[in-house]
Amino acid sequence: MTMNMTLHTDKYQINMMYAHWVNGSLNQRVAFEVNFRKLPFGNGYAVFAGLARVVDYIRDIRFSDEEIAYLREQEEQYDEGFLEELRAFRFTGDLYAVPEGTLVFPNEPLLRVEARIFEAQLVETAILNFINFQTLLATKASRIKQVAPDDILLEFGTRRAQEADAAVWGARSAYIAGFDATSNMRAGMMFGIPTKGTHAHAWVQSHETELESFRLYAKALPNQVTLLVDTYDTLKSGVVNAIRVAKELEAQGKRMDAIRLDSGDLAYLSKQARAMLDKAGLPYVKIVASNDLDENLIFNLKAQGARIDSWGVGTKLITAADQPALGGVYKLVAREKDGAMIPVIKISGNPEKVSTPGIKAVYRIVNRDTGKAEADYVALIEEQDVKNGEPLTLFDPVHPYLSKVISKYDAIPLLKPVFLRGELAAAMPDLDQIRAYHRGQLELFWPEHLRKLNPEHYPVDLSLTAWQQKLDLIQQHKS
Ligand SMILES: Nc1ncnc2c1ncn2[C@@H]1O[C@H](COP(=O)(O)OP(=O)(O)OP(=O)(O)O)[C@@H](O)[C@H]1O
Ligand SMILES: O=P(O)(O)OC[C@H]1O[C@H](OP(=O)(O)OP(=O)(O)O)[C@H](O)[C@@H]1O
Ligand SMILES: O=C(O)c1cccnc1
């Protein structure tokens, strides 16, 4: 099977490309923007991720013989001249995006494609596919990180993930948001994420006794021993045997890493196990827990005084179980007419779904006195006042009567060039730089916006000019 991602798109994109080719409009320049309207999980922010995959995908787009043959066979209406045009297809446009790891909010542009409509249309589906999933996963992981900021977080989800891509890119998203390691070796190899692993129940079950299994495991991997203690009876057998093996390791000058609890009352068992380990003179042996964990359970277990140092999180993280999709959209905001880019709008009966026309920039407005982000400010790219640091009127486009003026601020532009004229504009950051940048992002915000439960709404404001242009276009379409 081919690994070429070029046809990872909806048929309607190819149909529109074809119709543009037939009508001679394929070279019309357009601008599309990506945004989402609603934060997932009731969280106060989302963590942007998926850009690295977008970059690989865009760079590698090629209609090779196989793709062309498939299109020819699938749709007899596609003319040979169109298929020839596709052979020469390369992404030659501009792409701007916020860096991975950025905290992002509803109704602000996260990514913009400015290109020939022939190109900009093709890439919609894959871009949304990558960004929606990875941003969702990074946001879910960030919620888990919030409740256990000082503990070791392990991503264990592959066996329950929605297939292989979700497993590895989900692992990467979790790492961006603060997870420490993944169990998936391919994700480790692809992205350089640290990998960690304990052992399964099968290891214990495949031996005559639990003690024998623990001894043999420790013998094979003496420098990274974490023993799963719940196969038969956690406190009466598993922890007792683990302590014996830890002592045997000590006699060889080695230290056992941890035990893992995977069933039962994790609060109670961890406290009992901690006491037993401490009493045996093994305060350094850590406790790992797993079993259908998520941020609420972890929060609850901590509130119960659980003595757990490390959390293995699988199903609920990798499937974003409480909200399995993010609704990011890709909307046309401007098109070329008579040599100039003009704004376009999409009207909807639902006022929140009316698109904001025009090519926009988004600035994070940081208060100079506090060093904290005050609001995100969406303005047309040509607007100068924000770039010059002039006083800004911040108002909520949904409640325009609520406004304030801010004058001592730094405006950080969030959208950075990724491709310019089809060429990569700058080297992409590596994963550890992204992770560090993400940590810095969290520092920029008041804790009220970051808290997991009922967070304070963070304002995303529209410039007066962009707002007025939107009203004008709505008016124009009404008449
Ligand atoms: N102290 C606790 N407070 C709240 N929830 C807990 C506590 N301890 C464990 N849990 C969670 O409760 C759920 C109970 O899991 P489950 O019904 O599968 O029981 P189990 O002990 O895992 O049994 P099994 O032997 O079948 O694995 C799991 O999601 C687990 O993480
Ligand atoms: O519960 P999750 O958050 O999804 O985390 C992953 C789970 O996968 C493993 O169980 P599994 O029963 O598949 O294998 P095992 O025999 O090794 O326990 C592991 O023991 C965890 O319980
Ligand atoms: O290493 C582990 O303990 C592990 C890995 C994947 C799934 N469950 C557990």
Side-chain angles (χ1 to χ4, degrees), residues 163-374:
E163 259 278 4
D165 276 2
V168 290
W169 291 97
R172 182 179 181 276
S173 307
Y175 187 64
I176 289 175
F179 267 62
D180 297 282
T182 177
S183 62
N184 186 305
M185 296 296 280
R186 188 163 70 99
M189 189 167 125
M190 285 170 75
F191 308 124
I193 307 171
T195 55
K196 272 205 184 334
T198 72
H199 69 73
H201 295 106
W203 176 261
V204 178
Q205 293 169 283
S206 65
H207 293 85
E208 279 303 314
T209 68
E210 186 179 58
L211 181 60
E212 181 197 21
S213 80
F214 284 180
R215 280 191 174 130
L216 291 173
Y217 189 78
K219 188 173 146 205
L221 290 148
N223 298 327
Q224 50 156 312
V225 182
T226 295
L227 298 173
L228 174 59
V229 293
D230 75 333
T231 306
Y232 302 121
D233 185 315
T234 300
L235 298 179
K236 291 206 181 95
S237 167
V239 177
V240 174
N241 285 329
I243 288 172
R244 283 180 73 170
V245 173
K247 287 289 169 193
E248 289 164 12
L249 278 166
E250 268 189 355
Q252 303 161 36
K254 307 240 181 231
R255 285 186 156 204
M256 191 166 105
D257 281 347
I259 60 167
R260 176 161 73 98
L261 305 171
D262 188 48
S263 60
D265 182 329
L266 296 173
Y268 172 76
L269 292 174
S270 65
K271 287 185 232 178
Q272 296 295 318
R274 183 74 273 153
M276 289 165 75
L277 289 164
D278 289 351
K279 191 156 167 253
L282 299 165
Y284 59 83
V285 174
K286 300 264 193 288
I287 300 180
V288 183
S290 52
N291 189 13
D292 240 356
L293 297 172
D294 68 1
E295 66 272 30
N296 298 319
L297 249 165
I298 294 172
F299 186 77
N300 230 281
L301 286 166
K302 288 175 94 68
Q304 293 170 45
R307 299 293 302 277
I308 294 167
D309 307 286
S310 173
W311 309 86
V313 189
T315 313
K316 296 269 169 67
L317 165 64
I318 206 72
T319 65
D322 44 342
Q323 186 185 321
L326 178 70
V329 296
Y330 183 85
K331 292 291 166 197
L332 188 71
V333 295
R335 69 185 171 93
E336 187 183 357
K337 191 184 174 195
D338 305 327
M341 294 297 273
I342 60 160
V344 299
I345 194 165
K346 160 79 179 71
I347 309 271
S348 163
N350 176 351
E352 293 194 2
K353 287 195 175 182
V354 178
S355 68
T356 301
I359 301 179
K360 297 176 288 295
V362 52
Y363 302 91
R364 186 140 293 163
I365 305 299
V366 179
N367 185 318
R368 277 204 188 138
D369 292 331
T370 62
K372 296 291 184 192
E374 199 80 21

Side-chain angles (χ1 to χ4, degrees), residues 375-420:
D376 283 3
Y377 184 72
V378 178
L380 301 176
I381 45 168
E382 61 269 22
E383 289 185 53
Q384 290 303 320
D385 52 349
V386 57
K387 293 180 194 159
N388 298 337
E390 291 163 29
L392 289 183
T393 303
L394 297 180
F395 77 97
D396 181 342
V398 182
H399 310 285
Y401 46 88
L402 295 174
S403 74
K404 70 171 175 183
V405 176
I406 177 164
S407 42
K408 278 169 70 188
Y409 64 86
D410 289 310
I412 305 167
L414 295 188
L415 289 165
K416 305 268 175 14
V418 177
F419 286 96
L420 293 173

